[in-house]
Amino acid sequence: MIYDNVKKICSEKKIAISEMERDLGFPRSYICKWNENEPGIRKVQKVADYLKVSIEELLSIEAG
């Protein structure tokens, strides 16, 4: 769910997930695993800040 929301928002903002991972210092393909393994809140906050959205938007079921 979280990954799907991140993917959708990145697509809307024309941002590659791999580029965001690199900019945030995350390992490659780290975010794509978020549907299986829930990330820590600090990582989610970093992504939310990067995308200029709220954490709630990343966690929202309706965003997907």
Side-chain angles (χ1 to χ4, degrees):
M1 176 178 75
I2 297 173
Y3 171 69
D4 296 332
N5 293 344
V6 170
K7 184 177 173 183
K8 178 178 180 274
I9 294 166
C10 281
S11 176
E12 290 169 357
K13 294 180 179 272
K14 309 234 184 315
I15 296 170
I17 291 177
S18 59
E19 176 187 345
M20 179 173 60
E21 288 171 332
R22 194 170 42 251
D23 289 348
L24 293 175
F26 293 171
R28 194 165 169 241
S29 299
Y30 177 74
I31 293 174
C32 72
K33 298 175 181 142
W34 283 10
N35 278 346
E36 294 89 41
N37 305 311
E38 290 189 21
I41 194 69
R42 286 187 182 95
K43 302 282 188 192
V44 176
Q45 184 65 62
K46 280 179 103 172
V47 170
D49 290 346
Y50 186 91
L51 295 174
K52 297 177 176 62
V53 297
S54 67
I55 286 182
E56 291 79 11
E57 192 169 343
L58 293 181
L59 300 177
S60 171
I61 294 171
E62 290 137 25

